[in-house]
Amino acid sequence: MFSTAFEHLKHGLLTLCVSLVFLLSLFRFCSASTPLHPSELREVRRVPPRFSIPPTDNEIMPGGSVNITCVAVGSPMPYVKWMLGAEDLTPEDDMPIGRNVLELTDVRQSANYTCVAMSTLGVIEAVAQITVKALPKAPGTPVVTERTATSITLTWDSGNPEPVSYYIIQHKSKYLDDLYKEIDGVATTRYSVGGLSPYSDYEFRVVAVNNIGRGPPSEIIEAKTAEQAPSTAPRQVRGHMMSATTAVIQWDEPEEPNGQIMGYRVYYTMDSSQHVNLWEKQIVRGSNFVTIQGLIPNKTYYIKVLAYTSVGDGPLSPELQIIAKTGGGFAFIFFSKCVSV
Ligand SMILES: *[C@@H]1O[C@H](CO)[C@@H](O)[C@H](O)[C@H]1NC(C)=O
Ligand SMILES: *[C@@H]1O[C@H](CO)[C@@H](O)[C@H](O)[C@H]1NC(C)=O
Ligand SMILES: *[C@@H]1O[C@H](CO)[C@@H](O)[C@H](O)[C@H]1NC(C)=O
């Protein structure tokens, strides 16, 4: 049973082999019966030039070197030459076939080099852009977009078509002969410089940095921070009696007005245990003293002064005590007592 099946298989395989051999010989016979003429052979293999390795763009350091390879194929094989603009860089009588490597050394300037491949079937070109890296250019003059009493927000134009690594913001007080303080590693073209003093003039400029180094600074922009309420009280509050019922109170401007002082409020009372809002008060604009009339003779008065800007009130001065009393028609200065408020 098994051997019969085997015989069948063997027979089948043999038949198959015979058929294959027949087919193959038939194919051979057919191909051999139509030989190609040499002229037709050349016709089929004519291929216009194309770049198999097109030249690549390169970024190099100033004074650097680079080899740019350009390989073109075709049938017939194309000549390959390099050009810079209209100038031929490859001698006409020594033009390589298929492959041409342009060796550039001590490159100082960016340029576009053109690889040209040509045969009787055509001329093709490819451009390699060689960019010499340089220090970044100065960014555009910064613009102030926001101000608070302690911060200035700047935006600026990069000024560089090539990407820069980051920016440095330099700032200093306008009137002090300071060195610039620097904020390093600013990745965006907008930044809020904090930690500034209120109502103060500053100068800002921006520097772009790339992997070669720092470029030149931008133009300077001046900006003043916004006002704030004074952060200290009027100084040296003092008083004297013009008569038994009239006192003159004087003071000096606070050390940190933080803006333009719009005026002062002078509070006075005989009962210093009351909240200061319940004391008598006088508003003073444009001067540093006030005359208080209608005091009760021989009474002790308590006096406090504050300065205010358009933004708000500063702290109250320490308490001044005076006794409404005169001697022999002369004005007396009584004592002032410093009390922290
Ligand atoms: C460019 O090729 C030349 C010759 O092969 C070689 O001496 C040189 O080191 C190459 N320069 C670069 C930058 O690859
Ligand atoms: C090279 O060509 C590019 C694209 O056309 C152009 O932007 C660039 O300015 C050229 N570079 C030089 C150095 O001519
Ligand atoms: C004020 O006190 C003095 C003595 O210290 C006294 O001579 C005078 O009469 C008093 N004045 C009034 C208005 O009480």
Side-chain angles (χ1 to χ4, degrees), residues 230-308:
S231 47
T232 57
R235 286 172 297 155
Q236 312 247 325
V237 179
R238 55 206 184 268
H240 62 262
M241 300 305 297
M242 299 291 288
S243 71
T245 57
T246 304
V248 174
I249 309 298
Q250 275 182 283
W251 57 87
D252 295 340
E253 201 179 87
E255 208 157 359
E256 292 170 23
N258 296 344
Q260 198 160 11
I261 292 191
M262 305 289 287
Y264 296 91
R265 274 207 302 282
V266 179
Y267 295 87
Y268 60 98
T269 188
M270 287 189 297
D271 178 6
S272 68
S273 66
Q274 281 186 314
H275 190 272
V276 78
N277 284 350
L278 301 173
W279 296 18
E280 304 286 331
K281 70 171 183 253
Q282 287 198 25
I283 288 168
V284 181
R285 289 204 178 93
S287 67
N288 279 22
F289 67 91
V290 67
T291 305
I292 302 174
Q293 289 168 323
L295 301 179
I296 301 169
N298 286 354
K299 292 284 185 191
T300 299
Y301 283 87
Y302 303 88
I303 294 153
K304 289 182 178 189
V305 187
L306 66 75
Y308 59 91

Side-chain angles (χ1 to χ4, degrees), residues 11 42 54 115 124 166 275 300:
H11 179 73
R42 222 179 289 127
C115 176
I124 54 170
Y166 58 89
H275 190 272
T300 299

Side-chain angles (χ1 to χ4, degrees), residues 84 109-113 127-131:
L84 177 57
Q109 263 194 320
S110 298
N112 291 332
Y113 293 89
V127 174
Q129 214 169 313
I130 303 303
T131 310

Side-chain angles (χ1 to χ4, degrees), residues 192-212:
S192 191
V193 181
L196 305 177
S197 301
Y199 201 57
S200 305
D201 292 284
Y202 289 94
E203 292 180 349
F204 298 91
R205 60 188 198 182
V206 184
V207 172
V209 182
N210 67 10
N211 46 12
I212 306 262

